[in-house]
Protein backbone atom coordinates (compact mmCIF):
# COMPACT_ATOMS: atom_id res chain seq x y z
CA UNK A 1 0.00 0.00 0.00
CA UNK A 2 1.15 3.54 -0.74
CA UNK A 3 1.70 5.74 2.31
CA UNK A 4 2.20 8.65 -0.08
CA UNK A 5 -1.49 8.38 -0.98
CA UNK A 6 -2.46 8.27 2.70
CA UNK A 7 -3.37 4.59 2.42
CA UNK A 8 -2.11 2.28 5.19
CA UNK A 9 -1.93 -1.46 5.87
CA UNK A 10 -3.30 -0.97 9.39
CA UNK A 11 -3.66 1.66 12.11
CA UNK A 12 -0.19 0.95 13.55
CA UNK A 13 1.43 2.53 10.49
CA UNK A 14 0.10 5.86 11.71
CA UNK A 15 2.05 5.84 14.99
CA UNK A 16 4.60 8.65 15.38
CA UNK A 17 5.42 11.59 13.10
CA UNK A 18 3.12 13.83 15.13
CA UNK A 19 2.94 17.54 14.27
CA UNK A 20 4.79 20.35 16.00
CA UNK A 21 2.28 23.17 16.38
CA UNK A 22 3.19 26.76 17.24
CA UNK A 23 1.57 28.20 20.35
CA UNK A 24 0.50 31.63 19.24
CA UNK A 25 -1.75 33.21 21.84
CA UNK A 26 -0.73 31.84 25.22
CA UNK A 27 2.92 32.78 24.79
CA UNK A 28 2.54 35.99 22.78
CA UNK A 29 4.03 38.12 25.57
CA UNK A 30 6.87 35.69 26.33
CA UNK A 31 10.39 35.90 24.91
CA UNK A 32 11.12 33.07 22.48
CA UNK A 33 9.06 30.85 20.19
CA UNK A 34 6.98 28.07 21.67
CA UNK A 35 5.87 24.86 19.97
CA UNK A 36 3.85 21.88 21.15
CA UNK A 37 4.58 18.34 20.01
CA UNK A 38 0.96 17.25 19.95
CA UNK A 39 0.92 13.55 20.72
CA UNK A 40 -2.86 13.23 20.51
CA UNK A 41 -2.30 12.95 16.74
CA UNK A 42 -1.16 9.37 17.30
CA UNK A 43 -3.98 6.91 16.41
CA UNK A 44 -4.36 5.94 20.09
CA UNK A 45 -4.39 9.67 20.94
CA UNK A 46 -1.26 9.67 23.12
CA UNK A 47 2.53 9.37 23.16
CA UNK A 48 2.15 5.88 24.60
CA UNK A 49 1.42 4.42 21.14
CA UNK A 50 5.12 4.80 20.48
CA UNK A 51 6.27 2.68 23.41
CA UNK A 52 3.53 0.05 23.02
CA UNK A 53 4.49 -0.61 19.39
CA UNK A 54 8.24 -0.40 20.00
CA UNK A 55 8.29 -2.74 23.03
CA UNK A 56 5.94 -5.31 21.45
CA UNK A 57 7.92 -5.29 18.18
CA UNK A 58 11.09 -5.83 20.21
CA UNK A 59 9.57 -8.76 22.15
CA UNK A 60 8.53 -10.33 18.83
CA UNK A 61 11.98 -9.80 17.38
CA UNK A 62 13.51 -11.56 20.38
CA UNK A 63 11.03 -14.44 19.99
CA UNK A 64 9.47 -13.76 23.41
CA UNK A 65 5.91 -13.22 22.10
CA UNK A 66 3.92 -15.79 20.11
CA UNK A 67 0.44 -15.22 18.62
CA UNK A 68 -2.25 -15.71 21.27
CA UNK A 69 0.11 -14.80 24.15
CA UNK A 70 -0.95 -12.33 26.85
CA UNK A 71 0.48 -8.86 27.39
CA UNK A 72 0.17 -7.42 30.90
CA UNK A 73 0.76 -3.86 32.05
CA UNK A 74 0.22 -1.36 34.83
CA UNK A 75 -1.05 1.88 33.41
CA UNK A 76 -2.75 5.16 34.13
CA UNK A 77 -4.81 4.48 31.04
CA UNK A 78 -2.89 5.76 28.05
CA UNK A 79 -0.31 2.98 27.88
CA UNK A 80 -3.13 0.50 28.34
CA UNK A 81 -5.09 1.91 25.46
CA UNK A 82 -2.04 1.78 23.20
CA UNK A 83 -1.13 -1.78 24.22
CA UNK A 84 -4.75 -2.87 23.70
CA UNK A 85 -4.73 -1.30 20.22
CA UNK A 86 -1.45 -2.96 19.23
CA UNK A 87 -2.66 -6.29 20.72
CA UNK A 88 -5.82 -6.22 18.59
CA UNK A 89 -3.86 -5.78 15.37
CA UNK A 90 -1.17 -8.31 16.30
CA UNK A 91 -3.46 -10.93 17.90
CA UNK A 92 -2.53 -10.86 21.61
CA UNK A 93 -4.65 -10.85 24.79
CA UNK A 94 -4.28 -7.71 26.87
CA UNK A 95 -4.63 -7.48 30.68
CA UNK A 96 -4.34 -4.07 32.37
CA UNK A 97 -4.01 -3.22 36.07
CA UNK A 98 -4.98 0.45 36.48
CA UNK A 99 -5.09 2.92 39.35
CA UNK A 100 -8.47 3.82 40.83
CA UNK A 101 -7.42 7.45 40.19
CA UNK A 102 -7.87 6.88 36.45
CA UNK A 103 -10.95 8.56 35.02
CA UNK A 104 -14.05 6.44 34.38
CA UNK A 105 -13.79 7.38 30.68
CA UNK A 106 -10.31 5.90 30.49
CA UNK A 107 -11.35 2.61 32.09
CA UNK A 108 -14.39 2.27 29.80
CA UNK A 109 -12.20 3.05 26.83
CA UNK A 110 -9.75 0.28 27.70
CA UNK A 111 -12.62 -2.18 27.90
CA UNK A 112 -13.88 -0.98 24.51
CA UNK A 113 -10.51 -1.91 23.05
CA UNK A 114 -10.96 -5.50 24.28
CA UNK A 115 -8.70 -5.28 27.34
CA UNK A 116 -9.39 -7.05 30.62
CA UNK A 117 -9.13 -4.34 33.31
CA UNK A 118 -8.22 -4.67 37.03
CA UNK A 119 -8.89 -1.45 38.98
CA UNK A 120 -6.50 -1.18 41.98
CA UNK A 121 -6.48 1.36 44.87
CA UNK A 122 -4.45 4.48 44.06
CA UNK A 123 -3.31 5.49 47.53
CA UNK A 124 -1.49 2.36 48.71
CA UNK A 125 2.28 1.94 48.64
CA UNK A 126 3.88 0.28 45.61
CA UNK A 127 4.71 -2.88 47.62
CA UNK A 128 1.14 -3.33 48.91
CA UNK A 129 -0.32 -6.54 47.38
CA UNK A 130 -3.31 -4.47 46.17
CA UNK A 131 -1.17 -1.95 44.27
CA UNK A 132 -1.34 -2.13 40.51
CA UNK A 133 2.34 -3.08 40.35
CA UNK A 134 1.86 -6.07 42.62
CA UNK A 135 -1.36 -7.17 40.88
CA UNK A 136 0.36 -7.08 37.47
CA UNK A 137 3.38 -8.95 38.84
CA UNK A 138 1.18 -11.68 40.29
CA UNK A 139 -0.83 -12.08 37.07
CA UNK A 140 2.42 -12.30 35.10
CA UNK A 141 3.63 -15.11 37.37
CA UNK A 142 0.30 -16.94 37.12
CA UNK A 143 -0.31 -16.69 33.34
CA UNK A 144 2.01 -18.85 31.26
CA UNK A 145 3.49 -17.22 28.17
CA UNK A 146 2.64 -13.72 29.40
CA UNK A 147 4.81 -10.66 28.86
CA UNK A 148 4.92 -7.87 31.45
CA UNK A 149 5.70 -4.55 29.76
CA UNK A 150 6.70 -2.93 33.10
CA UNK A 151 7.03 0.57 31.61
CA UNK A 152 8.49 2.15 34.76
CA UNK A 153 11.45 -0.23 34.75
CA UNK A 154 11.87 -1.02 31.06
CA UNK A 155 14.78 0.60 29.19
CA UNK A 156 12.90 0.04 25.92
CA UNK A 157 10.52 2.77 27.08
CA UNK A 158 13.46 5.21 26.82
CA UNK A 159 14.67 3.64 23.55
CA UNK A 160 11.25 4.10 21.90
CA UNK A 161 11.47 7.88 22.34
CA UNK A 162 15.19 7.94 21.54
CA UNK A 163 14.36 6.35 18.20
CA UNK A 164 11.24 8.36 17.32
CA UNK A 165 10.27 11.44 19.37
CA UNK A 166 13.84 12.78 19.64
CA UNK A 167 14.73 12.60 15.92
CA UNK A 168 11.31 14.01 14.94
CA UNK A 169 11.74 17.09 17.16
CA UNK A 170 15.31 17.63 15.95
CA UNK A 171 14.17 17.56 12.33
CA UNK A 172 11.03 19.61 12.92
CA UNK A 173 13.01 22.40 14.60
CA UNK A 174 15.82 22.10 12.02
CA UNK A 175 18.19 21.61 14.92
CA UNK A 176 17.26 24.95 16.48
CA UNK A 177 15.53 23.69 19.64
CA UNK A 178 16.90 25.33 22.81
CA UNK A 179 14.56 23.92 25.50
CA UNK A 180 12.56 20.71 25.88
CA UNK A 181 9.80 20.76 28.51
CA UNK A 182 8.10 17.44 29.21
CA UNK A 183 6.17 15.69 31.95
CA UNK A 184 7.88 12.92 33.82
CA UNK A 185 5.84 9.89 34.80
CA UNK A 186 7.76 6.78 33.86
CA UNK A 187 10.31 9.28 32.52
CA UNK A 188 10.55 7.43 29.21
CA UNK A 189 9.41 10.37 27.08
CA UNK A 190 11.73 12.99 28.54
CA UNK A 191 14.72 10.64 28.94
CA UNK A 192 14.65 9.12 25.45
CA UNK A 193 13.87 12.39 23.68
CA UNK A 194 16.51 14.25 25.68
CA UNK A 195 19.15 11.57 25.10
CA UNK A 196 18.78 11.96 21.34
CA UNK A 197 18.62 15.76 21.44
CA UNK A 198 21.63 16.15 23.75
CA UNK A 199 23.66 13.90 21.45
CA UNK A 200 22.97 16.41 18.68
CA UNK A 201 23.49 19.48 20.88
CA UNK A 202 24.51 19.11 24.56
CA UNK A 203 23.43 22.71 25.27
CA UNK A 204 19.73 21.99 24.89
CA UNK A 205 17.99 22.59 28.20
CA UNK A 206 15.93 19.65 29.45
CA UNK A 207 13.22 20.50 31.97
CA UNK A 208 11.03 17.85 33.57
CA UNK A 209 7.60 18.63 34.97
CA UNK A 210 6.68 17.01 38.30
CA UNK A 211 3.64 17.14 40.57
CA UNK A 212 3.38 18.29 44.19
CA UNK A 213 2.99 14.98 46.03
CA UNK A 214 5.64 13.23 43.91
CA UNK A 215 9.25 12.32 44.80
CA UNK A 216 10.96 13.03 41.46
CA UNK A 217 12.17 16.63 41.87
CA UNK A 218 13.58 16.05 45.37
CA UNK A 219 15.32 12.85 44.21
CA UNK A 220 16.84 14.72 41.27
CA UNK A 221 18.14 17.49 43.51
CA UNK A 222 19.38 15.44 46.47
CA UNK A 223 19.66 11.81 45.34
CA UNK A 224 17.40 11.00 48.27
CA UNK A 225 14.09 9.14 48.12
CA UNK A 226 12.00 11.16 50.55
CA UNK A 227 8.73 9.51 51.57
CA UNK A 228 7.60 12.78 53.17
CA UNK A 229 7.18 14.22 49.67
CA UNK A 230 4.40 11.73 48.92
CA UNK A 231 0.75 12.70 49.23
CA UNK A 232 -2.30 12.24 46.98
CA UNK A 233 -2.73 14.53 43.99
CA UNK A 234 -5.12 14.72 41.07
CA UNK A 235 -3.03 14.84 37.88
CA UNK A 236 -2.83 11.43 36.22
CA UNK A 237 0.34 10.24 34.51
CA UNK A 238 2.70 12.83 36.00
CA UNK A 239 5.07 12.40 38.96
CA UNK A 240 5.61 9.25 40.98
CA UNK A 241 5.74 7.71 44.48
CA UNK A 242 8.80 5.64 43.53
CA UNK A 243 11.97 6.10 41.48
CA UNK A 244 11.47 4.63 37.98
CA UNK A 245 14.57 3.23 36.26
CA UNK A 246 13.00 4.39 32.98
CA UNK A 247 13.98 7.91 34.08
CA UNK A 248 17.53 8.98 33.22
CA UNK A 249 17.92 11.61 35.94
CA UNK A 250 21.39 12.63 34.73
CA UNK A 251 20.09 13.84 31.38
CA UNK A 252 17.44 16.11 32.91
CA UNK A 253 18.76 19.57 33.83
CA UNK A 254 16.03 20.46 36.28
CA UNK A 255 12.54 19.62 37.46
CA UNK A 256 9.74 22.06 38.11
CA UNK A 257 6.57 21.32 40.08
CA UNK A 258 3.04 22.38 39.19
CA UNK A 259 -0.20 22.23 41.14
CA UNK A 260 -3.35 20.27 40.30
CA UNK A 261 -5.39 23.46 40.20
CA UNK A 262 -3.17 25.60 37.98
CA UNK A 263 -2.62 22.69 35.57
CA UNK A 264 -6.36 22.08 35.25
CA UNK A 265 -7.06 25.75 34.48
CA UNK A 266 -4.18 25.87 32.02
CA UNK A 267 -5.41 22.76 30.15
CA UNK A 268 -8.78 24.48 29.71
CA UNK A 269 -7.01 27.66 28.61
CA UNK A 270 -5.05 25.79 25.90
CA UNK A 271 -8.31 24.44 24.47
CA UNK A 272 -9.98 27.84 24.54
CA UNK A 273 -7.12 29.91 23.20
CA UNK A 274 -5.09 27.63 20.92
CA UNK A 275 -7.95 25.38 19.76
CA UNK A 276 -6.01 22.32 20.90
CA UNK A 277 -8.15 19.97 22.96
CA UNK A 278 -5.50 18.43 25.22
CA UNK A 279 -5.25 16.41 28.43
CA UNK A 280 -4.46 17.32 32.02
CA UNK A 281 -0.69 16.86 31.74
CA UNK A 282 -0.54 19.12 28.69
CA UNK A 283 -1.98 21.73 31.04
CA UNK A 284 0.80 20.84 33.49
CA UNK A 285 3.54 21.33 30.86
CA UNK A 286 2.06 24.66 29.78
CA UNK A 287 1.74 25.73 33.41
CA UNK A 288 5.43 24.93 33.86
CA UNK A 289 6.23 27.15 30.85
CA UNK A 290 4.30 30.02 32.46
CA UNK A 291 6.26 29.61 35.71
CA UNK A 292 9.59 29.34 33.87
CA UNK A 293 8.73 32.48 31.90
CA UNK A 294 8.10 34.37 35.13
CA UNK A 295 11.50 33.20 36.41
CA UNK A 296 13.13 34.70 33.29
CA UNK A 297 14.24 31.32 31.91
CA UNK A 298 13.55 32.18 28.27
CA UNK A 299 15.11 34.81 26.07
CA UNK A 300 14.54 36.19 22.58
CA UNK A 301 15.48 33.69 19.87
CA UNK A 302 14.84 30.62 22.04
CA UNK A 303 12.92 27.76 20.45
CA UNK A 304 11.03 25.92 23.14
CA UNK A 305 9.34 22.58 22.54
CA UNK A 306 6.70 21.29 24.95
CA UNK A 307 5.37 17.76 24.69
CA UNK A 308 1.58 17.57 24.99
CA UNK A 309 1.07 13.88 25.85
CA UNK A 310 -2.62 13.18 25.20
CA UNK A 311 -6.11 14.27 24.15
CA UNK A 312 -8.72 16.20 26.12
CA UNK A 313 -11.48 13.68 25.37
CA UNK A 314 -9.98 11.45 28.08
CA UNK A 315 -10.85 14.02 30.76
CA UNK A 316 -14.48 14.83 30.08
CA UNK A 317 -15.47 13.71 33.59
CA UNK A 318 -12.55 15.62 35.16
CA UNK A 319 -10.77 18.74 33.91
CA UNK A 320 -13.43 19.48 31.30
CA UNK A 321 -16.32 18.97 33.70
CA UNK A 322 -17.37 22.20 35.45
CA UNK A 323 -18.93 20.05 38.17
CA UNK A 324 -15.64 18.25 38.84
CA UNK A 325 -13.71 21.53 38.86
CA UNK A 326 -16.14 22.90 41.43
CA UNK A 327 -15.96 19.75 43.56
CA UNK A 328 -12.15 20.07 43.69
CA UNK A 329 -12.52 23.70 44.83
CA UNK A 330 -10.81 24.83 41.62
CA UNK A 331 -13.41 27.48 40.83
CA UNK A 332 -13.17 30.58 43.05
CA UNK A 333 -16.62 31.76 42.21
CA UNK A 334 -19.66 30.44 40.41
CA UNK A 335 -19.07 32.97 37.63
CA UNK A 336 -16.22 30.80 36.32
CA UNK A 337 -18.67 28.08 35.34
CA UNK A 338 -19.63 28.36 31.68
CA UNK A 339 -23.39 28.49 31.25
CA UNK A 340 -25.20 26.04 28.98
CA UNK A 341 -27.89 27.92 27.11
CA UNK A 342 -31.14 25.92 26.97
CA UNK A 343 -32.76 26.95 23.70
CA UNK A 344 -36.23 25.50 24.29
N1 LIG B 1 0.99 12.46 30.54
C1 LIG B 1 0.15 11.43 30.54
C2 LIG B 1 -1.31 11.71 30.35
C3 LIG B 1 0.60 10.13 30.76
O1 LIG B 1 -0.26 9.10 30.77
C4 LIG B 1 1.99 9.94 30.97
C5 LIG B 1 2.52 8.56 31.21
N2 LIG B 1 2.44 8.08 32.52
C6 LIG B 1 2.84 11.05 30.96
C7 LIG B 1 2.30 12.28 30.74
C8 LIG B 1 4.31 10.95 31.23
O2 LIG B 1 5.05 10.27 30.23
P1 LIG B 1 6.22 9.33 30.64
O3 LIG B 1 5.63 8.14 31.34
O4 LIG B 1 6.89 8.95 29.37
O5 LIG B 1 7.13 10.05 31.58
Amino acid sequence: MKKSLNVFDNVLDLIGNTPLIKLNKMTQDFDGEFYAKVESFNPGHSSKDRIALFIINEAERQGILKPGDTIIETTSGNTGFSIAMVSIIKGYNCILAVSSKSSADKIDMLKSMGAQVYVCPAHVSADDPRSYYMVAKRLHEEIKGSVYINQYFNQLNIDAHYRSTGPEIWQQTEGKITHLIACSGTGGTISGTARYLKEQNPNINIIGVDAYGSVLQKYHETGEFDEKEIYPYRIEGLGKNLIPTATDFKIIDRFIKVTDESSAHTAREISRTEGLFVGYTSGAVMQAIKQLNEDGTFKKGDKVVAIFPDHGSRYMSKVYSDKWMQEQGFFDSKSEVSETIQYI
Side-chain angles (χ1 to χ4, degrees), residues 48-262:
K48 295 297 182 177
D49 281 2
R50 297 174 187 269
I51 71 161
L53 182 63
F54 187 84
I55 295 173
I56 291 170
N57 278 346
E58 195 58 25
E60 286 176 342
R61 206 180 56 79
Q62 292 177 16
I64 299 167
L65 271 175
K66 301 176 302 301
D69 276 350
T70 300
I71 303 175
I72 299 171
E73 183 52 330
T74 53
T75 167
S76 69
N78 282 329
T79 309
F81 188 90
S82 300
I83 293 171
M85 185 179 76
V86 177
S87 299
I88 288 167
I89 304 298
K90 288 178 173 274
Y92 302 118
N93 303 311
C94 174
I95 296 184
L96 304 169
V98 312
S99 154
S100 55
K101 205 164 71 168
S102 302
S103 63
D105 324 346
K106 276 190 176 175
I107 293 167
D108 285 343
M109 220 170 344
L110 299 176
K111 291 197 211 153
S112 314
M113 292 299 274
Q116 204 179 344
V117 182
Y118 289 70
V119 181
C120 310
H123 307 309
V124 296
S125 67
D127 56 2
D128 186 297
R130 295 163 299 162
S131 80
Y132 52 94
Y133 308 106
M134 296 307 275
V135 169
K137 205 165 154 255
R138 180 172 55 76
L139 290 168
H140 175 45
E141 283 158 11
E142 284 171 10
I143 301 168
K144 261 181 122 171
S146 64
V147 166
Y148 179 21
I149 302 277
N150 204 7
Q151 61 173 336
Y152 285 90
F153 298 97
N154 191 336
Q155 292 306 302
L156 295 174
N157 178 356
I158 296 183
D159 294 349
H161 292 285
Y162 175 83
R163 298 269 288 273
S164 66
T165 321
E168 286 173 29
I169 292 174
W170 182 252
Q171 282 163 19
Q172 286 170 313
T173 59
E174 297 171 309
K176 296 197 179 89
I177 174 175
T178 56
H179 297 76
L180 174 77
I181 326 275
C183 289
S184 206
T186 66
T189 307
I190 189 165
S191 305
T193 307
R195 192 175 285 174
Y196 181 86
L197 292 174
K198 286 240 190 199
E199 276 178 12
Q200 314 311 310
N201 174 5
N203 296 325
I204 297 170
N205 242 281
I206 309 295
I207 302 167
V209 184
D210 191 18
Y212 287 98
S214 154
V215 296
L216 300 179
Q217 184 185 39
K218 179 91 182 262
Y219 181 76
H220 184 251
E221 285 169 3
T222 65
E224 182 197 337
F225 174 79
D226 186 354
E227 271 191 19
K228 292 196 294 297
E229 293 283 299
I230 301 172
Y231 55 86
Y233 56 90
R234 296 270 164 236
I235 314 177
E236 299 159 39
L238 167 63
K240 214 57 219 162
N241 57 356
L242 50 73
I243 307 300
T245 57
T247 308
D248 181 354
F249 284 90
K250 289 188 304 299
I251 211 143
I252 299 166
D253 293 301
R254 63 178 284 205
F255 276 92
I256 179 166
K257 287 204 182 199
V258 291
T259 66
D260 288 340
E261 181 169 358
S262 60

Side-chain angles (χ1 to χ4, degrees), residues 1-4 6-14 89:
M1 287 292 184
K2 282 197 180 142
K3 281 188 193 175
S4 57
N6 219 16
V7 178
F8 299 89
D9 284 336
N10 62 55
V11 72
L12 305 185
D13 280 352
L14 284 150
I89 304 298

